[in-house]
Amino acid sequence: MPAHNAARFIEAAIESVCVQSVSDWELLVSDDGSSDDTVKVARDTLLRLGKLSKGRILSGTVRQGPARARNRAIAEARGKWLAFLDSDDLWAKDKLERQLPVFDDPDVRLLCGGYEVIDVFGRATGEYCVPPRTASYSDMLRLNTVGCLTAIYDVERAGKVFMPDLPRRQDYGLWLSLIRPGGVVYGLDRIVGMYRRRSTGSVSSNKIAATYWQWRLYREHEKLSMASSFRCLFNHAFRKSKKYAGGGSFPSDKRSPIW
């Protein structure tokens, strides 16, 4: 869990880990040079919930960015699986219980799931995103279908793989690394978390910045040609506009028969 000036939200994020129906977990909070009470709130929350022995807070005095904050936690992690949760998002209480049995299939190295979109106050927006059952490397180049808060990868099968040192799209780069070459990401068609949408800056400036870092990911991390990068960028922009569903019912609570 990377955290930068997250005192407002991190208590709820940590609570969503502490109430998991699976109890064998370790939480690493990687503080990225926060100037507010992030570290204190994180420690106090673990203490209040009686989980201080299951959580480690990696303090940072200088901000280095989310990629380095996450990579520091990846390096320190001791578990068989690595899961991710940003400090303003939430896990469903049965998130690990639903996802971990999927790794009984020896072909699964990277797994994701569905998530609901909430606003800054934690209210449901009516939007949700459910991934396809499988997505290949070429599929993922056209659209990132992995919500970071839902992702888990198997360290024993994949080794420790780190995020590229990019200010944005670093999680996307990790997923691509994990399924290259010839691999797939598996998707569980169940809601396993809540993504908190926070508006910062204008919509147009955000889109320009996102496009810039998307381009750099294709060119610098994936080493795609100019032509391939343009094709992927166009496909990603078009498909992302259709990414979220809304107004309908969530997927069934019943576990998919494939699992």
Side-chain angles (χ1 to χ4, degrees), residues 93-221:
K93 65 181 180 180
D94 60 350
K95 193 254 189 195
L96 296 178
E97 180 183 357
R98 282 188 177 274
Q99 288 190 297
L100 291 181
V102 181
F103 286 99
D104 291 342
D105 183 335
D107 292 331
V108 178
R109 291 196 303 176
L110 173 63
L111 174 69
C112 64
Y115 59 89
E116 179 184 0
V117 181
I118 58 176
D119 67 14
V120 70
F121 301 107
R123 300 174 301 203
T125 65
E127 295 176 290
Y128 59 92
C129 186
V130 177
R133 183 156 293 176
T134 61
S136 67
Y137 176 75
S138 59
D139 292 332
M140 285 286 289
L141 284 176
R142 291 192 290 270
L143 178 66
N144 177 18
T145 55
V146 179
C148 188
L149 73 160
T150 75
I152 306 180
Y153 78 84
D154 191 311
V155 176
E156 292 186 359
R157 294 173 187 172
K160 280 199 175 180
V161 185
F162 295 87
M163 295 192 174
D165 191 11
L166 295 171
R168 297 182 67 172
R169 298 295 191 263
Q170 66 278 157
D171 55 339
Y172 191 6
L174 174 58
W175 318 144
L176 292 171
S177 295
L178 283 165
I179 63 174
R180 184 180 62 240
V184 298
V185 53
Y186 289 81
L188 188 67
D189 61 344
R190 300 293 178 267
I191 301 297
V192 297
M194 281 68 74
Y195 167 76
R196 192 184 306 270
R197 179 180 289 157
R198 293 199 283 164
S199 299
T200 55
S202 69
V203 173
S204 59
S205 65
N206 283 343
K207 287 183 176 179
I208 291 171
T211 301
Y212 171 75
W213 290 112
Q214 191 80 17
W215 176 259
R216 284 193 58 180
L217 177 71
Y218 291 144
R219 293 288 289 151
E220 297 176 17
H221 186 257

Side-chain angles (χ1 to χ4, degrees), residues 26-43:
E26 174 190 45
L27 173 63
L28 288 90
V29 178
S30 184
D31 179 59
D32 188 24
S34 294
S35 58
D36 66 358
D37 290 332
T38 294
V39 171
K40 181 180 185 302
V41 172
R43 183 175 290 109

